Amino acid sequence: MVFQSATYGKVLVLDGVIQLTERDECAYQEMITHLPLCSIPNPKKVLVIGGGDGGVLREVARHSSVEHIDICEIDKMVVDVSKQHFPDVAIGYEDPRVTLHVGDGVAFLKAAQEGSYDAVIVDSSDPIGPAEELFKKPFFESVAKALRPGGVMCTQAESIWLHMDIIEGIVENCRQVFKGSVNYAWTTVPTYPSGVIGFMLCSTEGPEVDFKNPINPIDVQENQIKSTIPLKFYNQEIHAAAFCLPSFAKKVIESKAEK
Amino acid sequence: MVFQSATYGKVLVLDGVIQLTERDECAYQEMITHLPLCSIPNPKKVLVIGGGDGGVLREVARHSSVEHIDICEIDKMVVDVSKQHFPDVAIGYEDPRVTLHVGDGVAFLKAAQEGSYDAVIVDSSDPIGPAEELFKKPFFESVAKALRPGGVMCTQAESIWLHMDIIEGIVENCRQVFKGSVNYAWTTVPTYPSGVIGFMLCSTEGPEVDFKNPINPIDVQENQIKSTIPLKFYNQEIHAAAFCLPSFAKKVIESKAEK
C-alpha cells in the first residue's frame, strides 16, 4: 500500500508494516549503508539483500570506490511500486553499477562466489514473518562465506525498546558466526515502531574492522559521486554515536557480544 | 488523564499530549537531569521548573553533592496524580532535600535570589500552549540571572524531525541570553511525537562548561545515593552521543549556535 500522510509525505506499507516514508527514509537508508561502507577502506563489490525500494542502492552509489552492486529482492512489486511512487528512492536503480536479481536472498547467497563481496547489506522486513530466515545462523553463515576476509555485514536488527529478546538472539547468532567484530548500533526513524531501529554490524576474520571509528568518510564531498544529492542524516559524529547504547540495552548486548 | 497501555505501561496525558509512560520515562528524566548535572562539578542547589510528576527530582536526588532542590510546578493536580498512579516517578518527592512550590515558574524565577542556583532544569510542556512563555527571551533572562556564574540550564526543546523552525528560535534566544556554552542534545523517547526529544543546554558566563564531555559522572556507583535504583538509560557514552546531530539538524542549529 502507498498513501499520502499529513506529516511524513508518501508512505510505503508492506503486510501492514510501514517500510518507509519520504520524510524519514534518509535516516534508515543512510545509516544501514554508511555504517558498514565507511568502516572499511575502498569497498568495491557490495550485495544488498532485500531493499527493493532502491534507497540502499542510492546510498551505496555515493561511494566512488564501488565497482559492482548486486541486489537480490524477492518481491518485484516493491521495485515497481517504488519506481512509480518514490522516484527519489528508486533513483538508486539508475546507477550503472547496479544489477537487480529478483529472487530469494537465501538461495542467492548460497550460490554466491565465496569471499567475493566487501560488504553485504541486509535490508529486510521483521524477523517475525517472511524474513524470518534472514535472522538465523545458516543465513549468517552464508553471508560470512560470501564475504572476503575482513568483509562486513550490516543487517537491520529491530528496536532496543521493544525487541531486546529478539536482539539478544541475533547477537548470539552473529557472535557464533562472525569471527571479526560484532557490534550493535541504532538510530532514530520516527515512523518505525518505538521510533528507533537497530543494526547488527559484523566482520569476518581478516583485517580488523573498527566499526565505531569510521576510516572511510563519505561526508567529505570528494568521496561522493558528484551528481548525488547531499546526505541528509549521516555524518562521522552520528556514525560513532550510533554505537552508544542506553544502559538497559548495553547490559544485555555486551554480555552477549563480548568474548 | 491516566490510562493503562498494552506496551508502555501506565500513561500520563495532559491536555491531550502524552507526558510520560512507565516504559520510557527513564530516557527523558535521566537525560534532562544528568546532561546538565554531570557537566558541572559538585552541583549543590538545583531548581526544577515544571516536572510536577517528580521524575526529574528522582534523578537530581542521585547526586550526592546536591544540598537543596526547589521545584516550582504550576499544576498541583499533576503532583497528586503522579503520587497516586506513578509511585516510581513521584518517589522523587520523598527526598528530604526537596521543597515543592506550587505556582508560576516565571514568577518564581523573577523572585529568585540572583546567582543562587548551580542548575535550572525546565521540564515544561510544549511551546505552543500554556508553557509558551518558558521558551521566550525574558524567561531565559530570568534563568540566567538566577544561575551562578558558570551555572547551567537544561530545557526540553522539541523534536528535530518535526520542529526545526521552533528549535531555531529557541537556539537564537539562548544564544543571545547565555554567554557561556549553548548546545543542543537529543534522545529517543518512543511515546513523544516522532520518537525523539531535544534539550537546550546553556551555561552562564563564568567557569567554562563543556557539555559534550561530562566531568561529573553519575553512572559510577560511588557518586549515587546508595538507596536509589540503578540508572536505566543514562551513561557517559550516551551523554556525549546526545550532542551528535543528524546533518539536517546540525546545519540549522550550528548556524545559529556558533558565534
Side-chain angles (χ1 to χ4, degrees):
Chain A
M1 180 169 75
V2 174
F3 69 92
Q4 181 76 37
S5 68
T7 312
Y8 287 90
K10 267 189 271 186
V11 181
L12 173 66
V13 179
L14 285 183
D15 302 329
V17 179
I18 291 179
Q19 300 299 307
L20 66 81
T21 81
E22 287 179 317
R23 184 159 196 164
D24 64 4
E25 56 93 12
C26 61
Y28 179 76
Q29 321 271 23
E30 293 183 16
M31 293 298 271
I32 198 173
T33 305
H34 304 306
L35 287 178
L37 294 190
C38 294
S39 298
I40 52 172
N42 283 308
K44 287 196 170 73
K45 204 175 165 196
V46 178
L47 170 61
V48 181
I49 300 289
D53 54 64
V56 172
L57 299 176
R58 178 191 69 201
E59 295 307 317
V60 175
R62 290 185 191 275
H63 290 262
S64 52
S65 67
V66 169
E67 293 166 0
H68 189 81
I69 312 170
D70 282 319
I71 174 165
C72 185
E73 164 62 53
I74 202 165
D75 187 352
K76 179 68 160 50
M77 197 193 276
V78 174
V79 180
D80 296 337
V81 165
S82 185
K83 285 182 176 173
Q84 193 182 345
H85 295 287
F86 299 91
D88 294 343
V89 179
I91 193 174
Y93 286 104
E94 291 176 20
D95 194 283
R97 295 166 291 176
V98 171
T99 306
L100 170 63
H101 310 263
V102 175
D104 178 18
V106 175
F108 186 89
L109 263 168
K110 269 189 195 148
Q113 200 194 326
E114 232 173 272
S116 61
Y117 290 101
D118 296 285
V120 175
I121 297 169
V122 189
D123 176 14
S124 71
S125 49
D126 296 320
I128 294 159
E132 194 183 346
E133 293 303 316
L134 306 186
F135 294 87
K136 290 189 175 166
K137 254 181 87 174
F139 177 74
F140 290 136
E141 280 160 358
S142 307
V143 172
K145 219 165 137 186
L147 285 170
R148 67 158 170 83
V152 291
M153 175 191 79
C154 181
T155 179
Q156 80 90 349
E158 304 295 287
S159 159
I160 45 173
W161 283 107
L162 302 176
H163 314 114
M164 277 311 296
D165 52 332
I166 298 174
I167 294 170
E168 213 176 328
I170 300 174
V171 174
E172 212 166 342
N173 286 342
C174 287
R175 182 84 251 157
Q176 285 168 23
V177 171
F178 290 92
K179 302 302 178 192
S181 314
V182 174
N183 284 105
Y184 190 89
W186 64 283
T187 196
T188 157
V189 181
T191 58
Y192 286 169
S194 84
V196 303
I197 190 82
F199 307 102
M200 269 320 295
L201 286 139
C202 304
S203 70
T204 53
E205 204 166 7
E208 213 195 307
V209 178
D210 179 3
F211 286 112
K212 298 179 186 183
N213 295 295
I215 49 132
N216 180 27
I218 184 73
D219 45 333
V220 287
Q221 198 58 44
E222 304 86 71
N223 203 33
Q224 292 190 45
I225 304 292
K226 297 281 176 259
S227 59
T228 53
I229 55 162
L231 289 158
K232 288 181 191 166
F233 192 91
Y234 177 90
N235 55 56
Q236 283 181 73
E237 298 94 74
I238 211 114
H239 178 128
F243 293 89
C244 300
L245 303 176
S247 299
F248 71 84
K250 194 176 164 169
K251 211 165 56 178
V252 176
I253 290 169
E254 291 190 352
S255 74
K256 294 287 167 194
E258 271 166 16
K259 283 167 201 179
Chain B
M1 180 168 74
V2 174
F3 69 93
Q4 181 75 37
S5 68
T7 311
Y8 288 90
K10 267 189 271 184
V11 182
L12 174 66
V13 179
L14 285 183
D15 300 330
V17 179
I18 290 179
Q19 299 300 307
L20 66 82
T21 81
E22 287 180 316
R23 184 159 197 163
D24 64 4
E25 57 92 11
C26 62
Y28 178 77
Q29 321 271 25
E30 293 183 17
M31 293 298 272
I32 199 172
T33 304
H34 304 305
L35 287 177
L37 294 191
C38 293
S39 298
I40 53 173
N42 284 307
K44 286 197 173 71
K45 205 178 165 196
V46 178
L47 169 62
V48 180
I49 300 288
D53 55 63
V56 172
L57 299 177
R58 180 192 67 201
E59 296 306 318
V60 175
R62 290 185 191 275
H63 290 263
S64 53
S65 67
V66 169
E67 294 166 1
H68 189 82
I69 312 169
D70 282 318
I71 173 166
C72 185
E73 164 63 54
I74 202 165
D75 186 353
K76 179 67 163 48
M77 197 194 276
V78 174
V79 181
D80 296 336
V81 165
S82 185
K83 285 182 176 173
Q84 192 182 344
H85 295 288
F86 299 90
D88 294 343
V89 180
I91 194 174
Y93 286 103
E94 290 175 22
D95 194 281
R97 295 166 291 175
V98 171
T99 305
L100 169 63
H101 310 262
V102 175
D104 178 19
V106 175
F108 186 89
L109 263 166
K110 267 188 196 148
Q113 200 194 326
E114 234 174 271
S116 60
Y117 290 101
D118 297 285
V120 175
I121 298 170
V122 188
D123 177 13
S124 71
S125 50
D126 297 321
I128 294 158
E132 194 183 347
E133 293 303 315
L134 305 187
F135 295 86
K136 291 187 173 166
K137 254 180 85 173
F139 177 73
F140 291 136
E141 279 160 358
S142 306
V143 173
K145 220 166 135 186
L147 286 170
R148 67 159 170 82
V152 292
M153 175 191 78
C154 180
T155 179
Q156 80 89 349
E158 304 295 288
S159 160
I160 45 174
W161 284 108
L162 301 175
H163 314 115
M164 277 311 297
D165 52 332
I166 298 175
I167 294 170
E168 212 176 329
I170 300 173
V171 174
E172 211 165 343
N173 287 343
C174 287
R175 182 84 251 158
Q176 286 168 22
V177 171
F178 291 92
K179 301 303 178 193
S181 314
V182 174
N183 284 105
Y184 190 89
W186 63 283
T187 196
T188 157
V189 181
T191 57
Y192 286 169
S194 84
V196 302
I197 191 79
F199 306 103
M200 268 322 294
L201 285 139
C202 305
S203 69
T204 53
E205 205 166 6
E208 213 194 307
V209 178
D210 179 3
F211 285 112
K212 299 180 185 180
N213 294 296
I215 50 130
N216 180 27
I218 183 73
D219 45 333
V220 288
Q221 199 58 43
E222 305 86 73
N223 204 33
Q224 292 189 44
I225 303 292
K226 297 283 177 258
S227 60
T228 54
I229 55 162
L231 289 158
K232 289 182 190 164
F233 192 91
Y234 178 90
N235 55 55
Q236 284 181 72
E237 300 92 74
I238 212 114
H239 179 127
F243 294 88
C244 301
L245 303 176
S247 299
F248 71 83
K250 193 176 165 169
K251 210 165 57 179
V252 176
I253 290 170
E254 292 191 351
S255 75
K256 293 287 168 194
E258 270 166 17
K259 283 167 201 180

